[in-house]
Amino acid sequence: MREKILHKATDLFLNLGFKSVTMDDLAHELGISKKTIYAHFPNKTKLVEECTLALFCTISNEIDNVCSLQMNPIEELYEIKKIVLLHLKDEKTSPQYQLQKYYPKIFENLKNKQFEVMQGCFVSNIEKGIQMGIYRKNLNMDFISRIYFSGITSLKNHVLFPVTMFTMSSLMDEYLEYHIRGIATPKGQQLLNTIINSNQE
């Protein structure tokens, strides 16, 4: 039952927002009593924490699997983007904003965990790209990986990028192309163009 509650709560939080969903809503959706939920999670804050951690672990594991496939670094970034979009439901209700506003400690802890995982992933991606000749040799890898993480997290800021103007999918596509064109060699640019053209077909 605990896993069932976690799964349904995560789905509701991502679709409706962390603040918007009440324990009553969750109990109603599951067809159980609130008492049953509280038997597994003492309060809503703990439930939010467990949901975000579980989602983070799922995404991290899938990203690790992609990185282990040894595909070329540009394709790797596009595969990672697909994983993130698949799990974050396009974020129409800005759950990230609600998490930051109403559960700041959970938000900061999650962001730190994301940075630890993604920093290693991005540095490895850049190293591979340089070795293959598709990224420029003179890159400051630590700077590039940090600025990329900073940019990716900023896309979720609905003040900067209102949902009425942008979808998360289009934002990530634009930002990924922007990032790769900034670090790619002519060989890398050709590969990027091929990937973009194949994605549009």
Side-chain angles (χ1 to χ4, degrees):
M1 178 55 76
R2 191 176 191 279
E3 288 302 311
K4 191 176 179 183
I5 294 169
L6 263 181
H7 181 76
K8 175 55 73 174
T10 301
D11 189 54
L12 289 173
F13 287 148
L14 289 179
N15 280 299
L16 303 173
F18 289 98
K19 175 68 173 175
S20 307
V21 178
T22 66
M23 296 297 251
D24 282 314
D25 295 331
L26 180 57
H28 177 72
E29 285 290 325
L30 286 165
I32 59 176
S33 68
K34 277 200 296 184
K35 188 176 178 181
T36 304
I37 298 175
Y38 286 125
H40 296 278
F41 303 95
N43 51 55
K44 185 181 172 184
T45 299
K46 188 63 179 174
L47 177 61
V48 169
E49 184 179 24
E50 294 275 349
C51 286
T52 55
L53 187 60
L55 182 62
F56 165 77
C57 289
T58 298
I59 293 174
S60 295
N61 289 336
E62 291 185 20
I63 288 173
D64 285 343
N65 289 338
V66 166
C67 293
S68 71
L69 296 175
Q70 297 298 310
M71 57 181 64
N72 84 63
I74 295 178
E75 286 179 332
E76 184 178 272
L77 289 179
Y78 273 90
E79 284 302 310
I80 290 172
K81 181 207 74 167
K82 286 180 189 174
I83 290 169
V84 174
L85 280 176
L86 179 67
H87 287 286
L88 296 187
K89 318 274 189 188
D90 208 27
E91 298 201 331
K92 290 187 179 68
T93 53
S94 60
Q96 187 91 0
Y97 170 78
Q98 289 195 11
L99 188 66
Q100 184 175 7
K101 183 175 181 181
Y102 299 106
Y103 302 95
K105 286 184 180 178
I106 296 174
F107 175 82
E108 282 304 316
N109 184 44
L110 181 65
K111 195 170 180 181
N112 290 337
K113 286 179 179 294
Q114 288 172 337
F115 178 72
E116 286 173 21
V117 169
M118 298 312 288
Q119 177 75 348
C121 174
F122 292 150
V123 168
S124 175
N125 182 276
I126 294 167
E127 286 174 340
K128 283 192 293 184
I130 291 172
Q131 289 168 5
M132 293 175 65
I134 59 177
Y135 294 161
R136 292 186 284 111
K137 289 181 180 178
N138 63 338
L139 297 174
N140 181 330
M141 289 187 283
D142 200 40
F143 170 76
I144 295 294
S145 60
R146 287 168 186 270
I147 203 74
Y148 185 64
F149 178 81
S150 175
I152 281 289
T153 52
S154 293
L155 297 182
K156 297 168 186 172
N157 183 327
H158 287 268
V159 176
L160 282 175
F161 302 103
V163 291
T164 52
M165 292 177 65
F166 306 97
T167 64
M168 185 53 66
S169 178
S170 66
L171 279 174
M172 289 190 77
D173 276 334
E174 294 276 359
Y175 186 67
L176 192 48
E177 182 179 349
Y178 173 82
H179 166 71
I180 295 169
R181 291 206 186 281
I183 64 175
T185 61
K187 179 181 174 183
Q189 300 274 6
Q190 285 184 329
L191 181 57
L192 174 62
N193 289 337
T194 301
I195 292 171
I196 290 173
N197 289 335
S198 67
N199 286 343
Q200 289 174 345
E201 288 174 359

